[in-house]
Amino acid sequence: MDRPTYNDQVSDTKRTEAFSDGVLAIAITLLVLDLSVPARNELRGSLAHALAREWPAYGSYVTSFLIIGIIWVNHHTVFQLIGRIDRIALFLNLLLLMTVVTIPYTTHLLATYLTAGSGARTAAIVYSAVMLAMSCAFAGLYAYIAHRPALLAEGVDPVAVRASIVRFSAVGLALYVATVVVAIFSAPLCLLAHFAIALYYCFSQIRTGPSIADATPNPPDL
Amino acid sequence: MDRPTYNDQVSDTKRTEAFSDGVLAIAITLLVLDLSVPARNELRGSLAHALAREWPAYGSYVTSFLIIGIIWVNHHTVFQLIGRIDRIALFLNLLLLMTVVTIPYTTHLLATYLTAGSGARTAAIVYSAVMLAMSCAFAGLYAYIAHRPALLAEGVDPVAVRASIVRFSAVGLALYVATVVVAIFSAPLCLLAHFAIALYYCFSQIRTGPSIADATPNPPDL
Amino acid sequence: MDRPTYNDQVSDTKRTEAFSDGVLAIAITLLVLDLSVPARNELRGSLAHALAREWPAYGSYVTSFLIIGIIWVNHHTVFQLIGRIDRIALFLNLLLLMTVVTIPYTTHLLATYLTAGSGARTAAIVYSAVMLAMSCAFAGLYAYIAHRPALLAEGVDPVAVRASIVRFSAVGLALYVATVVVAIFSAPLCLLAHFAIALYYCFSQIRTGPSIADATPNPPDL
Amino acid sequence: MDRPTYNDQVSDTKRTEAFSDGVLAIAITLLVLDLSVPARNELRGSLAHALAREWPAYGSYVTSFLIIGIIWVNHHTVFQLIGRIDRIALFLNLLLLMTVVTIPYTTHLLATYLTAGSGARTAAIVYSAVMLAMSCAFAGLYAYIAHRPALLAEGVDPVAVRASIVRFSAVGLALYVATVVVAIFSAPLCLLAHFAIALYYCFSQIRTGPSIADATPNPPDL
């Protein structure tokens, strides 16, 4: 009964990554279904004007696309730290994916109601709440992994990982709580806040000590 | 004509897993299409109320998401036991996928009719019947593999696998037959039963003897 | 300039397979979108009756699911014979995928018009014509590969491959031409013919000489 | 802290390729959703005539399918040159994917308005503008990689890569600027121009010096 333990576990992480990548790739691509073509027989005025009126859809699309893209990058970074995965981590990951998969829906909701008198606030709160839930699921998964050195990949420093999750999770949760507050006052401002956070995350990532920086070939360019 | 038999068969299993993962990832993500944004010009009352009325859709979404997630985890576990795959197993797997791919449809059906006077029973029976069919397909694939030691991966104990399929398949079939019975009496209760079964499966998995438990790095946490 | 030629080409084939697998997995899963839930406020009679009237959709779904599943299995088999891929083969493969991706559309078309007085014949001819086009694209890709020994994987016998393509392509083309003829007389019969062909292909595969049969662990079970 | 640097970076590129492949595979398959089945109760005349009137949809489908297919082939070629990836390249790739994912939308827009008196010009300009944006994103990613030898794979000649990007990017940008100009005069002609460009790209690819040509087994057939 000498099962090839190590290879087995490595393949386990790989298949979880592949499944997560698949779900994230599909969720990010389904965002295009939120862009609707104006019906030809209901067109009032020119098509150019009709498309211009769709700006909430375009703005929401770009913002959500960046957000899911960043989730993918960060998911990727976290899984590079993981050497083995257990059942709890598997389901925390599933919980995270469940929140991500609803993003095309909340994006469509926000785009539809962004310029509605009433409804805009509700839509913006729902959009922000799902992002907050995603952030919580991410923090949960990350914290779970960080506190189980046996799950970490070889050469990963548990102390550095634990230090980074405090910063990463705290910043993420604080930012998304802030968007819920902004949503109460203004839905367009809330969308702008999400866009700004996405841009911020483009240039600030999960750090796990000097090991990753060292491995990067040209640090000055980052 | 010295074909690299072993590598060839291993890659066979890998591509079947990749294809299955793809189908499962897409099916789980398509569930979001069952969540519909209330049309802006048909909105009666506030958006918050309109969204609250959508609870059958949210409940069905969460339940089906968990179920497909668990199917993926179990599919994963079964394929870790497989070293080689033949044509029959390939088509049993295709049959399993065919039932899984219909889940976004039955989920939409259940969500739409859950609170309908008539129709709720029919929708709940269809939803449960598809889950039962999925369970049968899974049991069939698992039984087929378990009775062909030549298909099992090295180090996997055929006796342990055969013992586990009896328990796993019997429990699964019994549970899903029970949901069909519950569906006759109450559709919302039926949805709740499916949710409870999904939670149960989160903490109870296919077991194949001590080998897998031994390979898990920190058993006390499971 | 000592580029790692072999590894490069192997990875080439792998990425083409992965892309093709992705497209096939998505196309097979999108078939579920052809199953439509009866609108609650337009329901005449019971839901059970409304669902029963949807039999053309279910029949088309099962048939097309089997067909795309078999395309995947055969695509898989062909790519096991390929060691390297060139630009022409890449685009022949793209052409094949283009026909497969339209299957959810032609399936929806056939399901919608199967029981329509007029229109049924047209829908069945279009459905069969796309399958014929797929069959031609497959034959083209297979013939192209078979006649370029440099593209074949090591240990694959070019003579056996060439012999098998004649049989495989001829049978496939003849069967799908036959369905176009059947489509002219009866759309339901045409759907049944496609289902029968799919079943036939479940038990008859591309053969490339004794090498594959030898590699199969338990031939008597096939 | 001896992290396995090399393997880590290789896997990094692989996961980016896998994610990109996923997004491209989904985007190309979602094109089928732009083909709509004529509603049975709104059918005027025969189904054959109704389908014939859908030629703008079929033409747009084939053209966009070829374009995304070529994007995949070229994306593939570029990533074969990359040994390591950094954060900037990751987000340039995300930007490229963002433009590609909108193609099913602009395809649907073009198909809907191709034969509309007014609107056709706008739709064709939007379609061409998104292709131009895709071309810019591609040129940006390619230029970024080409000017960072540390990111290139071993054995890749930086000088040859830099020479090829000038040609590749200049040709691509010039062609897509031209389609915007054509779009102002005639939408159908613009679609034809995109189809012609796609065919041109089928036989003209990114070249990076003699290394790739040498690795190709049978150059005369290309």
Side-chain angles (χ1 to χ4, degrees):
Chain A
M1 192 84 75
D2 44 78
R3 204 185 155 78
T5 310
Y6 179 74
N7 280 328
D8 181 51
Q9 295 295 332
V10 162
S11 116
D12 202 290
T13 310
K14 269 189 191 150
R15 209 181 154 186
T16 305
E17 281 186 73
F19 182 74
S20 306
D21 276 5
V23 170
L24 293 172
I26 302 153
I28 210 172
T29 313
L30 287 185
L31 287 171
V32 71
L33 301 183
D34 295 341
L35 304 176
S36 63
V37 172
R40 201 166 137 176
N41 49 7
E42 291 173 12
L43 197 67
R44 289 164 305 181
S46 73
L47 176 60
H49 280 102
L51 292 178
R53 275 193 301 271
E54 293 281 320
W55 68 265
Y58 303 138
S60 308
Y61 168 77
V62 170
T63 303
S64 293
F65 196 100
L66 279 181
I67 291 172
I68 300 182
I70 288 156
I71 291 169
W72 174 74
V73 173
N74 285 335
H75 190 270
H76 190 170
T77 307
V78 169
F79 268 78
Q80 277 185 314
L81 306 174
I82 304 179
R84 286 158 214 86
I85 200 159
D86 65 13
R87 207 158 173 87
I88 307 265
L90 219 53
F91 281 99
L92 287 173
N93 187 52
L94 205 59
L95 216 65
L96 171 63
L97 294 180
M98 199 194 282
T99 62
V100 177
V101 168
T102 60
I103 292 179
Y105 168 66
T106 58
T107 302
H108 193 28
L109 187 73
L110 184 60
T112 307
Y113 286 93
L114 193 67
T115 56
S118 73
R121 182 187 295 182
T122 305
I125 290 174
V126 169
Y127 185 85
S128 301
V130 163
M131 292 304 173
L132 183 58
M134 176 275 290
S135 187
C136 289
F138 221 129
L141 172 66
Y142 199 14
Y144 181 79
I145 300 294
H147 288 88
R148 270 157 195 81
L151 298 184
L152 294 176
E154 266 182 77
V156 172
D157 179 8
V159 178
V161 169
R162 272 196 291 273
S164 91
I165 66 154
V166 175
R167 194 180 66 83
F168 176 74
S169 301
V171 169
L173 293 174
L175 285 173
Y176 285 119
V177 164
T179 61
V180 175
V181 175
V182 172
I184 296 170
F185 295 102
S186 162
L189 210 66
C190 176
L191 178 59
L192 205 68
H194 280 286
F195 182 71
I197 292 173
L199 283 190
Y200 162 77
Y201 270 118
C202 285
F203 298 97
S204 161
Q205 70 171 322
I206 299 172
R207 289 222 161 267
T208 54
S211 58
I212 280 182
D214 291 351
T216 313
N218 45 357
D221 293 314
L222 287 181
Chain B
M1 192 83 78
D2 44 80
R3 205 183 155 80
T5 310
Y6 179 73
N7 280 327
D8 180 51
Q9 296 296 331
V10 163
S11 114
D12 202 290
T13 310
K14 268 187 191 152
R15 208 180 156 187
T16 305
E17 281 186 73
F19 182 74
S20 306
D21 276 5
V23 170
L24 293 173
I26 301 154
I28 210 173
T29 313
L30 287 185
L31 287 171
V32 70
L33 301 183
D34 295 341
L35 305 176
S36 62
V37 172
R40 201 166 138 178
N41 49 7
E42 291 174 11
L43 198 67
R44 290 164 304 182
S46 74
L47 176 60
H49 280 102
L51 292 177
R53 275 194 300 272
E54 293 281 320
W55 68 264
Y58 303 138
S60 308
Y61 168 78
V62 169
T63 302
S64 293
F65 197 100
L66 279 181
I67 291 172
I68 300 182
I70 287 156
I71 291 169
W72 175 73
V73 172
N74 285 335
H75 191 270
H76 191 168
T77 307
V78 169
F79 268 79
Q80 277 184 314
L81 306 174
I82 304 178
R84 287 157 215 85
I85 199 159
D86 65 12
R87 205 157 175 90
I88 307 264
L90 219 53
F91 281 99
L92 287 174
N93 187 51
L94 205 59
L95 216 65
L96 171 63
L97 294 180
M98 199 195 282
T99 62
V100 177
V101 167
T102 60
I103 293 179
Y105 168 67
T106 58
T107 302
H108 193 28
L109 186 73
L110 184 59
T112 306
Y113 286 93
L114 193 67
T115 57
S118 74
R121 181 187 294 183
T122 305
I125 290 174
V126 169
Y127 186 85
S128 301
V130 163
M131 293 303 173
L132 183 59
M134 177 274 291
S135 188
C136 290
F138 221 128
L141 172 66
Y142 200 14
Y144 181 79
I145 300 293
H147 287 89
R148 270 157 196 80
L151 298 184
L152 294 177
E154 267 182 76
V156 172
D157 179 7
V159 178
V161 169
R162 273 196 290 272
S164 91
I165 66 153
V166 175
R167 195 181 63 84
F168 176 75
S169 301
V171 169
L173 292 173
L175 285 173
Y176 285 119
V177 164
T179 62
V180 175
V181 175
V182 173
I184 296 169
F185 295 101
S186 162
L189 210 66
C190 175
L191 178 59
L192 205 68
H194 280 286
F195 182 71
I197 292 173
L199 283 190
Y200 161 78
Y201 271 118
C202 285
F203 298 97
S204 161
Q205 69 172 322
I206 299 170
R207 289 221 162 269
T208 54
S211 58
I212 280 182
D214 290 350
T216 313
N218 45 358
D221 293 316
L222 288 182
Chain C
M1 192 82 77
D2 44 79
R3 203 183 156 81
T5 310
Y6 180 73
N7 280 328
D8 180 53
Q9 297 296 332
V10 163
S11 115
D12 201 292
T13 311
K14 269 188 191 153
R15 211 181 155 188
T16 305
E17 281 185 73
F19 182 75
S20 306
D21 277 4
V23 170
L24 293 172
I26 301 153
I28 210 174
T29 314
L30 287 185
L31 287 171
V32 70
L33 301 183
D34 295 341
L35 305 176
S36 63
V37 172
R40 201 167 138 178
N41 49 8
E42 290 174 12
L43 198 66
R44 290 164 304 182
S46 73
L47 177 60
H49 280 102
L51 292 177
R53 275 194 301 270
E54 294 281 320
W55 69 264
Y58 304 139
S60 308
Y61 168 78
V62 169
T63 303
S64 293
F65 197 100
L66 279 181
I67 291 172
I68 300 182
I70 287 156
I71 292 169
W72 174 73
V73 172
N74 284 336
H75 191 270
H76 190 168
T77 308
V78 169
F79 269 78
Q80 276 184 315
L81 306 175
I82 304 179
R84 288 158 214 86
I85 199 161
D86 64 14
R87 204 156 176 90
I88 306 263
L90 219 54
F91 282 99
L92 286 173
N93 186 52
L94 205 59
L95 215 65
L96 171 63
L97 294 180
M98 199 194 281
T99 61
V100 177
V101 167
T102 60
I103 292 179
Y105 167 67
T106 58
T107 302
H108 192 27
L109 186 74
L110 184 59
T112 307
Y113 286 92
L114 193 66
T115 57
S118 74
R121 181 187 297 184
T122 305
I125 291 175
V126 169
Y127 185 84
S128 302
V130 163
M131 294 303 174
L132 182 59
M134 176 275 290
S135 187
C136 289
F138 221 129
L141 172 66
Y142 199 14
Y144 182 80
I145 300 294
H147 287 88
R148 272 158 195 78
L151 299 184
L152 294 176
E154 268 182 74
V156 172
D157 179 8
V159 177
V161 169
R162 273 196 289 272
S164 91
I165 67 156
V166 175
R167 197 181 61 86
F168 176 73
S169 301
V171 170
L173 292 173
L175 285 173
Y176 286 119
V177 165
T179 62
V180 175
V181 175
V182 173
I184 296 169
F185 295 102
S186 161
L189 209 67
C190 176
L191 178 59
L192 204 69
H194 280 286
F195 182 72
I197 292 172
L199 283 190
Y200 161 78
Y201 270 118
C202 286
F203 298 97
S204 161
Q205 69 173 321
I206 299 171
R207 289 221 163 268
T208 54
S211 57
I212 281 182
D214 290 350
T216 312
N218 45 359
D221 293 315
L222 289 182
Chain D
M1 192 83 75
D2 44 78
R3 203 183 157 80
T5 311
Y6 180 73
N7 280 327
D8 180 51
Q9 296 295 332
V10 163
S11 114
D12 202 291
T13 310
K14 269 188 191 152
R15 210 179 156 189
T16 304
E17 281 185 72
F19 182 74
S20 306
D21 277 4
V23 170
L24 293 172
I26 302 153
I28 211 172
T29 314
L30 287 185
L31 287 171
V32 71
L33 301 184
D34 295 341
L35 304 176
S36 63
V37 172
R40 201 166 137 177
N41 50 7
E42 291 174 11
L43 198 66
R44 289 165 303 180
S46 73
L47 176 60
H49 280 101
L51 292 178
R53 275 194 301 271
E54 294 281 320
W55 68 265
Y58 303 138
S60 308
Y61 168 79
V62 170
T63 303
S64 293
F65 197 100
L66 279 181
I67 291 172
I68 300 182
I70 287 157
I71 291 170
W72 174 74
V73 172
N74 284 335
H75 190 270
H76 190 169
T77 307
V78 170
F79 268 78
Q80 277 183 314
L81 306 175
I82 304 180
R84 289 157 212 87
I85 199 160
D86 65 14
R87 207 157 172 89
I88 306 264
L90 219 54
F91 281 99
L92 286 173
N93 187 52
L94 205 59
L95 215 65
L96 171 63
L97 294 179
M98 198 193 283
T99 62
V100 177
V101 167
T102 60
I103 292 178
Y105 168 66
T106 58
T107 302
H108 193 27
L109 186 74
L110 184 59
T112 307
Y113 286 93
L114 193 66
T115 57
S118 72
R121 182 187 296 185
T122 304
I125 291 174
V126 169
Y127 185 84
S128 301
V130 163
M131 293 304 173
L132 182 59
M134 176 275 289
S135 187
C136 290
F138 221 127
L141 172 66
Y142 199 15
Y144 181 80
I145 300 294
H147 288 87
R148 272 159 195 78
L151 299 185
L152 294 176
E154 267 182 74
V156 172
D157 178 8
V159 178
V161 169
R162 273 197 290 272
S164 92
I165 67 155
V166 175
R167 196 181 64 83
F168 176 73
S169 301
V171 170
L173 292 173
L175 285 172
Y176 285 119
V177 164
T179 62
V180 176
V181 175
V182 173
I184 296 170
F185 295 101
S186 161
L189 209 66
C190 175
L191 178 59
L192 204 68
H194 280 286
F195 182 71
I197 292 173
L199 282 189
Y200 161 77
Y201 271 118
C202 286
F203 298 97
S204 160
Q205 69 173 320
I206 299 172
R207 288 222 163 267
T208 55
S211 57
I212 281 182
D214 290 351
T216 312
N218 44 358
D221 292 316
L222 288 182

